[in-house]
Amino acid sequence: MTDSKYFTTTKKGEIFELKAELNSDKKEKKKEAVKKVIASMTVGKDVSALFPDVVNCMQTDNLELKKLVYLYLMNYAKSQPDMAIMAVNTFVKDCEDPNPLIRALAVRTMGCIRVDKITEYLCEPLRKCLKDEDPYVRKTAAVCVAKLHDINAQLVEDQGFLDTLKDLISDSNPMVVANAVAALSEIAESHPSSNLLDLNPQSINKLLTALNECTEWGQIFILDCLANYMPKDDREAQSICERVTPRLSHANSAVVLSAVKVLMKFMEMLSKDLDYYGTLLKKLAPPLVTLLSAEPELQYVALRNINLIVQKRPEILKHEMKVFFVKYNDPIYVKLEKLDIMIRLASQANIAQVLAELKEYATEVDVDFVRKAVRAIGRCAIKVEQSAERCVSTLLDLIQTKVNYVVQEAIVVIKDIFRKYPNKYESVIATLCENLDSLDEPEARAAMIWIVGEYAERIDNADELLESFLEGFHDESTQVQLQLLTAIVKLFLKKPTETQELVQQVLSLATQDSDNPDLRDRGYIYWRLLSTDPVAAKEVVLAEKPLISEETDLIEPTLLDELICYIGTLASVYHKPPSAFVEGSRGVLHKGLPPRTGSIEGPESPDTAPSGEPAADQPSVIPTQGDLLGDLLNLDLGPPVTGPPMATSTVPMGAVDLLGGGLDSLIGGSGSFTAAPSSTAPTNVGAPLGSGLGDLFDLTAGVGTLSGSYVAPKTVWLPAMKAKGLEISGTFSRQVGSISMDLVLTNKALQVMSDFAIQFNRNSFGLAPAAPLQVHAPLAPNQSVEISLPLNTVGSVMKMDPLNNLQVAVKNNIDVFYFSTLYPLHILFVEDGKMERQMFLATWKDIPNENETQFQIKDCSLNAGGDGHSSTALGSCASA
Amino acid sequence: MIHSLFLINAAGDIFLEKHWKSVVSRSVCDYFFEAQERASEAENVPPVIPTPHHYLLSVYRHKIFFVAVIQSEVPPLFVIEFLHRVVDTFQDYFGVCSEVIIKDNVVVVYEVLEEMLDNGFPLATESNILKELIKPPTILRTVVNTITGSTNVGDQLPTGQLSVVPWRRTGVKYTNNEAYFDVIEEIDAIIDKSGSTITAEIQGVIDACVKLTGMPDLTLSFMNPRLLDDVSFHPCVRFKRWESERILSFIPPDGNFRLLSYHVSAQNLVAIPVYVKHNISFRDSSSLGRFEITVGPKQTMGKTIEGVMVTSQMPKSVLNMTLTPSQGTHVFDPVTKLLSWDVGKINPQKLPSLKGSVSLQAGTSKPDENPTINLQFKIQQLAISGLKVNRLDMYGEKYKPFKGIKYMTKAGALKRQIEELWWRQH
């Protein structure tokens, strides 16, 4: 006697048979027939033709039959709207039934019938049910409002159901409160601006009381709702945290994670000095660990969230490394996530264990997992410097296994290790070269070629190796082609004599035979560089490159803060804000962490950032493409070397440029300026001997007579996107002996900004604000204010890289923002640097000989262009 | 909230669909099938799959995929927890949860699903309440229903639904009043080749079967409650009381439920009750090797280790193994290269061992993969963490209940032993 018998009649006349049975007089037969209909429905068969016959069975005392008919109605009412009207009377009658179960059932089912004509009839019964004496009916009715809103939002608003729903938040029954919150949240999601959940301390108190008493699901809705509340001060935040903390021990993992979200968000407001702050941090770890012993699907979501939490507050889980070790029967998606977190938690203290684990993983079967494990070893090397050597030797062991994809992956990460620790592990290159032939993936080939190019001078047969790659140039992927081009140019600059032919070949392949614009452009750039000025080419191409930063895949901090507000949601699984992927997210509000209010902010010593979180603690993020471009622009525009000012040659910087040292010698030339007292600056500048000297004196004379020097146009230092709406652009200038920083602050947010303050980190020349940042009136939205901040050079000194890098912290009532900028060195030069010719020569001679280098290039001819060998410069550089 | 649910079997057939809002075409599952195809094994299908208009969240249990369809931003853990609850409910109703049993009870399943969610919001998920609304099918009830014409749908509002103790119905009556508690601990551990523990943790649960009349109020105290610093409770437990006195005070649900689960990870508290010794050697220039494993007890506090099962995935280059066990039975599958040895009880006087020879593929002298040994076992009457119940008291009712507490330790399915490099010891 099982339900499978309902499936057995699959003959042709099935519908006909059912029709007859539905119209039978016998109750029992009717019920059996309806069950058959439902059974067909569950497997997706179309039984809509039976609509009138099924609806006829609705008038019955038998609750099971009634429920079954309702089930049928919900599925098919939409396809038969006219027929569905037949059911309305029964619904309205049922809504008056003395049995609350039947009242609730009726209002619940009615809400599920998405037919306009029925919804009109729904309003009256719904209004009654919302005020029903039985909480079971009220809680069902609350959900029904959300259903109705989904079908006809206007109707809900016109009928005033939203207000009734809001009243239900104060209901005496916690279950009703929870459902009202859930319904309101769902409605609010489609109306982000409606401010439906108008939370205030009173309603928060109600929610917190209901939280203790309602079902686990209700707790989730309430906690998610609480997370949107912005406490007015740290005391309120703490008291909410205290009342939410017990939820961390709930058996339902969704409750736990929602509680974690509330705590993570409100914790932001608590002062770090508070005892409670530390207690709270300690309480967060065990529940997160417990989530990892749940079913794998839950673990996956938990791990994605832990990934965010670890980035925001690494201290919570720093001692829990072991729980992230991979178990052999974890599904692959759990394994990959665990690996990510292992690397994030890797530190000097636990690196030995981590490496031992990773090495194990690298011998497992699953290819994706093994690849990621190998990559992880490389990331450990970059992150924990002390472990680099062990990581490299582990990677070499793995290369010895000759497993193709392991070797390729290892080479890719070794390339990154070279970029982090140059000139340290080159001894392994020989081993890498042995595996050259087995590389078939573009990324690995490109990495290998990069290594060969970068260390061409140490690889005897570098030219042969690269030549072998060149044979199939057109079959390679773009990535490899670009690398090959660069590598051969590097090789040429290092060993010009033997490789001339090779470089010609690759340049012509890249520029003439390729369709790829990137490749062509890069080819032409190299070609022109080489043909115009090989010395410059060498300086540009072989210049020392900045080291890569330790963490390559951190989430950008503002996005991270936003995602912390979305813990436990899909956004946290995808690590994207909901606006980026939720369908029809009708202007989803951007959430942000609340500002810390507890700690006292004020002028402190420049090396501690105002919020007590030193800038150095902020993990550095490798900028995305866009940011990088911004940085480059900054770099270009900071020192005034472009545009008309250069032509006038009245600028010291310009002069330097003319002297052949170029931008690189100034910015990259590093050390020579640290000790330079600004009064003798001109003497430190490399000068050509002979006739050039005269020009130099003319130039310096010119500079001396100027009252003010060149001022670069203002550039945007801090885009509004990164600073919650505050945009800062500015430049530096020097006027009659005083340096100033000219700033424009623009408020692009929707709220008024006030309480501005500024601080500089220690820098190479001790630049510091000479006066506090004066913004007299609060800055209204869309308003800008121009400020000239006087600077002096009496601050503490710390060498920066590049030398003229300045890290700035700006605070307002919203948050503290950090940015860094480059200042032109000429603002440090004094105006009265003029020197007599004799005196200059004497000073020049005072410079010890060992600080002077000379090199001569023969065949000096001044016509630019040529074939790449003709242009020359006679220069010498001296430094004090 | 949760829009629809599809149940899909291993073959990729949708055998049940339920919609709580508008009907979502089953073609949405095509995205799921794609992911299923890509995954090497059913367990590896990712639990969250985006599609252009919906998100598919799935759990895989009892060889069935439970796929929930959602349309807007919903906490995924909420959905996944709910899906697990659905599975548990089916299991509770029908004893097992399988495709056959679901198809056999399709109408009950459908009715239950309808009660569990309303418009995607959970409505009644406690099995106590559900069973009052929709009575589970039993042969007796089917017979009675056919004769009397009554139904298995309750027509009264479940009593527990709105009370302060929603997990318990009123008017419970038993002739024998009993309360049983099972303390079950599972050890997960990773041990490296030298025998030292890399990680070891205990997942413990206390499952209860309480059949008591009326509204009993129970308190359970432990000899050593400080072991429990990382716990999750059933909602019935009064958290305040636990915080202040370390006593579990609760009005229990009726029937079977999980009172609490806990986690002991402090290394010094986790003792591993068995050890494995292995010895493998290869002669050079020969594809034959010696193989020996011995299993023995340690720190079992005098209790017997039973149900011992040793499995190990051998490297691909192993052709065959000729082994003799001192007790139990063993199987080596030359196709999957899985060695399993059903040891049974461990007698400490005569330790079980498995000896013999391994033959490798001609030409390979050492396998390059590192096999692991997985161990399963059970110890009755012992909670390896040392957790002990002190006393159980009942208030609020006058009768004297029968009380029982059982302990058991198991190896989690997760125990593994890394035998790194042991193939190279030739």
Side-chain angles (χ1 to χ4, degrees):
Chain A
M1 285 289 279
T2 66
D3 293 350
S4 57
K5 65 179 186 285
Y6 301 130
F7 292 113
T8 48
T9 52
T10 46
K11 283 164 274 158
K12 247 193 169 178
E14 186 190 9
I15 296 280
F16 180 79
E17 252 173 52
L18 280 172
K19 216 179 179 85
E21 282 174 39
L22 283 170
N23 290 315
S24 151
D25 295 334
K26 283 186 192 146
K27 254 190 188 173
E28 204 47 37
K29 205 159 196 185
K30 258 189 189 177
K31 199 167 87 186
E32 288 300 294
V34 176
K35 281 193 177 177
K36 277 183 202 168
V37 173
I38 299 287
S40 310
M41 198 172 83
T42 57
V43 291
K45 267 188 219 163
D46 184 16
V47 282
S48 59
L50 295 167
F51 198 90
D53 309 282
V54 176
V55 171
N56 274 338
C57 305
M58 195 170 157
Q59 290 274 14
T60 171
D61 306 333
N62 187 313
L63 192 62
E64 184 177 24
L65 184 54
K66 192 174 246 161
K67 278 191 172 181
L68 290 170
V69 175
Y70 281 1
L71 281 175
Y72 179 88
L73 265 176
M74 285 186 243
N75 240 19
Y76 288 114
K78 192 139 194 175
S79 56
Q80 309 260 351
D82 296 330
M83 295 283 213
I85 282 293
M86 289 162 42
V88 162
N89 272 334
T90 321
F91 280 130
V92 174
K93 214 177 87 200
D94 281 356
C95 285
E96 308 273 331
D97 198 278
N99 185 343
L101 193 65
I102 294 184
R103 291 203 297 275
L105 182 66
V107 74
R108 190 175 131 201
T109 313
M110 241 172 137
C112 291
I113 299 179
R114 307 175 65 87
V115 174
D116 285 342
K117 279 180 192 152
I118 293 215
T119 43
E120 285 164 28
Y121 288 99
L122 174 61
C123 292
E124 274 321 300
L126 178 59
R127 199 185 314 281
K128 260 185 223 152
C129 289
L130 279 168
K131 304 227 156 89
D132 199 284
E133 53 173 17
D134 194 298
Y136 181 74
V137 181
R138 288 203 300 275
K139 99 174 193 177
T140 314
V143 175
C144 193
V145 176
K147 293 182 198 170
L148 189 58
H149 186 272
D150 191 35
I151 303 168
N152 190 342
Q154 195 56 45
L155 186 70
V156 170
E157 271 167 51
D158 295 346
Q159 296 279 335
F161 285 138
L162 290 183
D163 295 322
T164 324
L165 200 53
K166 278 188 214 168
D167 293 343
L168 286 185
I169 291 191
S170 317
D171 198 278
S172 57
N173 187 295
M175 243 73 86
V176 179
V177 177
N179 271 18
V181 168
L184 279 172
S185 308
E186 189 175 84
I187 295 172
E189 204 176 295
S190 54
H191 280 75
S193 53
S194 58
N195 207 12
L196 269 177
L197 282 159
D198 186 20
L199 297 173
N200 52 47
Q202 287 76 40
S203 57
I204 287 294
N205 200 26
K206 288 236 173 64
L207 290 182
L208 284 167
T209 314
L211 183 62
N212 292 326
E213 293 167 20
C214 67
T215 66
E216 50 200 312
W217 315 108
Q219 294 183 14
I220 301 171
F221 300 134
I222 292 182
L223 286 168
D224 285 348
C225 177
L226 279 176
N228 291 330
Y229 177 63
M230 190 72 83
K232 61 179 190 304
D233 55 25
D234 53 333
R235 283 184 49 202
E236 193 184 2
Q238 179 175 344
S239 90
I240 295 176
C241 286
E242 277 164 3
R243 294 178 71 176
V244 166
T245 317
R247 298 300 121 208
L248 291 176
S249 302
H250 202 285
N252 186 318
S253 60
V255 175
V256 174
L257 204 57
S258 289
V260 169
K261 163 164 61 184
V262 175
L263 296 175
M264 282 293 286
K265 198 175 166 190
F266 289 179
M267 214 162 144
E268 201 66 16
M269 295 184 71
L270 302 177
S271 158
K272 287 192 168 172
D273 317 325
L274 226 59
D275 285 346
Y276 182 69
Y277 181 86
T279 323
L280 199 53
L281 271 186
K282 273 195 210 106
K283 279 192 176 161
L284 278 172
L288 290 175
V289 170
T290 304
L291 290 180
L292 296 181
S293 48
E295 285 85 356
E297 298 91 358
L298 297 169
Q299 280 187 47
Y300 171 75
V301 177
L303 284 166
R304 291 295 287 171
N305 281 286
I306 289 173
N307 199 329
L308 294 174
I309 294 168
V310 164
Q311 287 184 61
K312 180 73 189 165
R313 298 198 183 279
E315 63 270 32
I316 295 178
L317 287 169
K318 68 178 174 210
H319 298 304
E320 305 289 347
M321 174 58 98
K322 284 185 177 175
V323 299
F324 297 103
F325 285 177
V326 170
K327 292 175 181 160
Y328 85 101
N329 58 351
D330 281 336
I332 183 71
Y333 54 82
V334 168
K335 286 183 177 173
L336 295 177
E337 290 306 317
K338 281 188 171 174
L339 259 186
D340 258 344
I341 294 171
M342 279 173 70
I343 297 164
R344 293 214 192 286
L345 290 176
S347 68
Q348 204 182 334
N350 55 26
I351 193 74
Q353 273 185 328
V354 174
L355 265 182
E357 278 292 300
L358 290 176
K359 202 173 169 187
E360 283 303 321
Y361 304 161
T363 60
E364 289 210 13
V365 204
D366 191 288
V367 178
D368 285 341
F369 181 57
V370 169
R371 280 174 180 276
K372 197 158 182 176
V374 175
R375 217 160 258 233
I377 296 175
R379 278 169 66 187
C380 283
I382 292 167
K383 193 169 176 205
V384 185
E385 186 165 357
Q386 293 80 358
S387 74
E389 197 153 344
R390 294 172 64 175
C391 295
V392 171
S393 76
T394 309
L395 288 170
L396 281 180
D397 285 351
L398 291 173
I399 288 177
Q400 299 300 355
T401 63
K402 303 276 177 199
V403 179
N404 189 282
Y405 53 85
V406 174
V407 173
Q408 310 215 37
E409 211 63 43
I411 287 181
V412 172
V413 296
I414 286 180
K415 172 206 67 182
D416 286 335
I417 294 178
F418 282 166
R419 291 170 66 200
K420 171 77 180 179
Y421 310 108
N423 304 318
K424 219 165 164 188
Y425 300 109
E426 283 69 28
S427 50
V428 310
I429 292 177
T431 322
L432 303 186
C433 289
E434 285 165 22
N435 294 287
L436 216 55
D437 300 331
S438 63
L439 308 180
D440 52 12
E441 290 162 23
E443 202 182 351
R445 286 174 82 88
M448 193 63 222
I449 294 170
W450 181 87
I451 293 172
V452 173
E454 191 67 15
Y455 296 99
E457 68 273 26
R458 302 175 195 220
I459 305 171
D460 294 336
N461 58 343
D463 47 343
E464 285 168 36
L465 294 177
L466 292 176
E467 203 170 353
S468 69
F469 280 106
L470 202 56
E471 278 160 21
F473 189 78
H474 287 299
D475 302 329
E476 300 283 3
S477 73
T478 314
Q479 190 184 10
V480 180
Q481 289 176 336
L482 286 168
Q483 261 331 316
L484 198 51
L485 171 62
T486 305
I488 293 180
V489 171
K490 283 180 189 165
L491 173 70
F492 170 70
L493 289 167
K494 288 173 177 173
K495 299 180 181 172
T497 45
E498 312 107 88
T499 54
Q500 223 166 22
E501 214 171 289
L502 197 61
V503 82
Q504 293 282 5
Q505 203 184 340
V506 76
L507 285 175
S508 82
L509 277 172
T511 54
Q512 281 154 30
D513 301 343
S514 169
D515 304 332
N516 185 314
D518 278 354
L519 189 61
R520 279 170 59 98
D521 284 2
R522 198 188 281 192
Y524 277 120
I525 290 170
Y526 281 138
W527 201 323
R528 289 189 184 134
L529 255 175
L530 290 173
S531 58
T532 319
D533 187 351
V535 178
K538 199 163 185 171
E539 275 175 36
V540 170
V541 177
L542 301 182
E544 211 168 285
K545 283 169 271 299
L547 304 180
I548 58 170
S549 92
E550 54 191 42
E551 299 247 4
T552 45
D553 60 343
L554 285 176
I555 295 175
E556 196 264 319
T558 43
L559 176 61
L560 180 61
D561 282 356
E562 189 179 353
L563 287 177
I564 289 289
C565 302
Y566 287 108
I567 282 178
T569 65
L570 279 174
S572 69
V573 173
Y574 287 106
H575 291 184
K576 286 179 196 158
S579 50
F581 64 90
V582 170
E583 164 122 339
S585 57
R586 284 145 275 197
V588 175
L589 283 178
H590 282 276
K591 296 185 186 175
L593 289 177
R596 195 176 299 275
T597 56
S599 61
I600 303 130
E601 290 167 20
E604 290 162 49
S605 61
D607 53 348
T608 52
S611 69
E613 236 174 289
D617 267 353
Q618 301 279 336
S620 48
V621 178
I622 286 194
T624 54
Q625 212 80 42
D627 291 341
L628 197 65
L629 196 65
D631 284 354
L632 286 175
L633 285 176
N634 264 343
L635 190 80
D636 281 349
L637 293 173
V641 289
T642 48
M646 197 176 148
T648 63
S649 297
T650 54
V651 190
M653 285 288 290
V656 170
D657 198 31
L658 287 181
L659 296 175
L663 186 59
D664 274 322
S665 73
L666 189 71
I667 295 171
S670 70
S672 60
F673 284 94
T674 39
S678 49
S679 61
T680 59
T683 62
N684 294 328
V685 173
L689 297 174
S691 64
L693 203 57
D695 296 342
L696 181 70
F697 279 92
D698 287 350
L699 285 175
T700 47
V703 172
T705 55
L706 279 176
S707 59
S709 62
Y710 166 74
V711 180
K714 290 197 175 73
T715 50
V716 175
W717 285 339
L718 182 68
M721 269 185 46
K722 288 191 173 171
K724 304 183 180 163
L726 175 67
E727 186 182 275
I728 300 180
S729 58
T731 184
F732 294 91
S733 65
R734 183 179 183 96
Q735 304 279 340
V736 214
S738 63
I739 311 167
S740 62
M741 186 178 191
D742 301 327
L743 294 164
V744 177
L745 308 178
T746 311
N747 181 353
K748 294 197 170 173
L750 295 172
Q751 67 187 113
V752 175
M753 295 178 179
S754 59
D755 307 333
F756 286 93
I758 193 164
Q759 276 181 11
F760 293 175
N761 198 358
R762 283 190 287 183
N763 54 70
S764 315
F765 297 99
L767 271 184
L773 188 63
Q774 297 283 339
V775 183
H776 295 294
L779 197 54
N782 280 325
Q783 220 182 32
S784 306
V785 60
E786 278 204 51
I787 305 151
S788 182
L789 179 72
L791 307 181
N792 56 29
T793 52
V794 298
S796 3
V797 174
M798 178 174 78
K799 192 188 158 192
M800 301 295 291
D801 186 35
L803 201 62
N804 55 342
N805 189 6
L806 179 67
Q807 294 178 342
V808 183
V810 169
K811 185 197 84 128
N812 62 12
N813 58 332
I814 297 170
D815 204 349
V816 183
F817 312 107
Y818 304 93
F819 63 89
S820 68
T821 180
L822 300 176
Y823 49 89
L825 283 175
H826 77 261
I827 60 164
L828 302 167
F829 297 161
V830 294
E831 285 86 345
D832 54 355
K834 192 178 175 185
M835 266 177 159
E836 286 304 321
R837 193 183 189 113
Q838 300 307 322
M839 200 179 151
F840 176 80
L841 285 171
T843 317
W844 182 264
K845 279 181 186 143
D846 281 345
I847 298 166
N849 276 341
E850 60 266 30
N851 284 0
E852 186 171 323
T853 54
Q854 269 190 40
F855 48 96
Q856 275 189 322
I857 295 155
K858 291 185 189 97
D859 296 325
C860 172
S861 80
L862 286 170
N863 55 331
D867 64 6
H869 282 279
S870 62
S871 90
T872 54
L874 181 67
S876 72
C877 238
S879 53
Chain B
M1 295 294 123
I2 301 170
H3 223 97
S4 307
L5 174 71
F6 293 97
L7 303 193
I8 298 172
N9 63 17
D13 300 323
I14 304 172
F15 65 92
L16 188 118
E17 57 180 283
K18 170 84 185 98
H19 307 277
W20 285 278
K21 291 180 157 186
S22 49
V23 176
V24 177
S25 158
R26 54 167 62 191
S27 64
V28 75
C29 291
D30 292 350
Y31 295 95
F32 179 82
F33 296 137
E34 266 174 43
Q36 196 183 5
E37 237 164 72
R38 268 198 303 275
S40 51
E41 284 163 63
E43 286 83 4
N44 288 341
V45 177
V48 184
I49 302 169
T51 79
H53 303 284
H54 301 91
Y55 291 89
L56 305 178
L57 301 179
S58 63
V59 304
Y60 181 69
R61 281 180 68 179
H62 306 293
K63 301 209 163 64
I64 302 172
F65 288 102
F66 293 76
V67 184
V69 182
I70 58 174
Q71 203 163 20
S72 55
E73 178 64 272
V74 175
L77 275 188
F78 151 74
V79 180
I80 294 172
E81 276 279 0
F82 177 79
L83 290 177
H84 283 302
R85 201 61 57 86
V86 170
V87 183
D88 294 343
T89 308
F90 288 172
Q91 211 165 4
D92 198 31
Y93 260 76
F94 312 121
V96 280
C97 177
S98 70
E99 186 184 348
V100 176
I101 210 95
I102 290 176
K103 277 184 172 165
D104 279 353
N105 295 285
V106 69
V107 177
V108 176
V109 165
Y110 214 67
E111 287 170 337
V112 168
L113 287 176
E114 179 63 25
E115 289 303 331
M116 289 183 85
L117 278 190
D118 176 23
N119 194 37
F121 296 107
L123 194 62
T125 54
E126 285 286 336
S127 86
N128 271 310
I129 293 171
L130 280 171
K131 282 185 174 167
E132 275 186 68
L133 284 167
I134 316 284
K135 298 201 176 64
T138 60
I139 291 170
L140 180 67
R141 183 163 300 124
T142 325
V143 175
V144 171
N145 286 354
T146 344
I147 297 165
T148 62
S150 64
T151 70
N152 56 351
V153 170
D155 53 6
Q156 284 305 310
L157 193 61
T159 45
Q161 181 82 312
L162 293 156
S163 69
V164 262
V165 277
W167 52 86
R168 189 175 179 90
R169 60 195 169 99
T170 50
V172 184
K173 271 211 176 82
Y174 289 101
T175 40
N176 295 320
N177 288 296
E178 315 164 304
Y180 296 104
F181 292 87
D182 291 352
V183 181
I184 303 167
E185 296 191 339
E186 289 194 0
I187 309 182
D188 289 351
I190 304 175
I191 298 161
D192 74 1
K193 58 176 187 268
S194 62
S196 55
T197 309
I198 294 179
T199 70
E201 53 183 27
I202 295 173
Q203 307 288 350
V205 295
I206 299 184
D207 282 344
C209 177
V210 176
K211 293 183 173 168
L212 297 174
T213 307
M215 272 285 167
D217 197 333
L218 302 180
T219 57
L220 188 70
S221 64
F222 297 96
M223 308 276 266
N224 36 12
R226 57 177 186 84
L227 273 173
L228 304 174
D229 63 340
D230 182 2
V231 276
S232 306
F233 295 116
H234 188 277
C236 68
V237 175
R238 296 183 181 100
F239 192 72
K240 283 260 160 59
R241 191 93 191 268
W242 170 256
E243 285 273 90
S244 55
E245 300 168 54
R246 297 276 141 174
I247 283 175
L248 292 180
S249 155
F250 54 98
I251 295 175
D254 186 38
N256 294 312
F257 66 101
R258 175 157 295 174
L259 181 63
L260 86 153
S261 55
Y262 58 95
H263 181 99
V264 181
S265 57
Q267 211 73 169
N268 48 354
L269 295 175
V270 183
I272 293 163
V274 281
Y275 69 87
V276 178
K277 267 202 285 200
H278 60 77
N279 186 15
I280 285 103
S281 56
F282 286 95
R283 259 161 291 156
D284 279 332
S285 71
S286 156
S287 54
L288 269 182
R290 295 282 311 154
F291 178 97
E292 182 179 347
I293 320 182
T294 312
V295 191
K298 67 179 185 190
Q299 295 163 309
T300 59
M301 299 164 205
K303 302 285 194 295
T304 324
I305 304 175
E306 328 170 342
V308 180
M309 177 89 181
V310 178
T311 50
S312 181
Q313 180 72 51
M314 290 293 142
K316 287 189 203 81
S317 50
V318 172
L319 269 191
N320 211 340
M321 304 180 88
T322 322
L323 302 170
T324 329
S326 69
Q327 70 177 72
T329 52
H330 83 286
V331 183
F332 175 72
D333 182 341
V335 182
T336 58
K337 314 287 182 200
L338 190 73
L339 170 70
S340 48
W341 175 28
D342 188 349
V343 185
K345 268 186 199 168
I346 295 183
N347 175 0
Q349 268 74 51
K350 190 171 162 292
L351 296 180
S353 65
L354 184 67
K355 286 184 203 167
S357 62
V358 192
S359 55
L360 297 175
Q361 253 160 11
T364 46
S365 60
K366 59 169 185 185
D368 49 7
E369 289 157 75
N370 301 326
T372 60
I373 296 180
N374 306 310
L375 212 63
Q376 283 174 25
F377 59 84
K378 267 188 212 162
I379 307 172
Q380 302 283 2
Q381 296 310 319
L382 173 74
I384 196 74
S385 69
L387 186 73
K388 267 215 154 67
V389 173
N390 186 17
R391 53 183 298 149
L392 176 70
D393 297 303
M394 187 183 76
Y395 305 94
E397 296 288 337
K398 296 221 164 58
Y399 55 86
K400 264 229 164 310
F402 183 80
K403 300 178 279 194
I405 290 165
K406 239 175 33 187
Y407 299 90
M408 170 139 86
T409 299
K410 294 196 273 197
L414 313 172
K415 187 171 166 79
R416 87 171 182 191
Q417 198 165 24
I418 297 174
E419 295 297 320
E420 186 209 350
L421 294 176
W422 56 255
W423 290 100
R424 301 200 184 132
Q425 296 166 347
H426 54 117

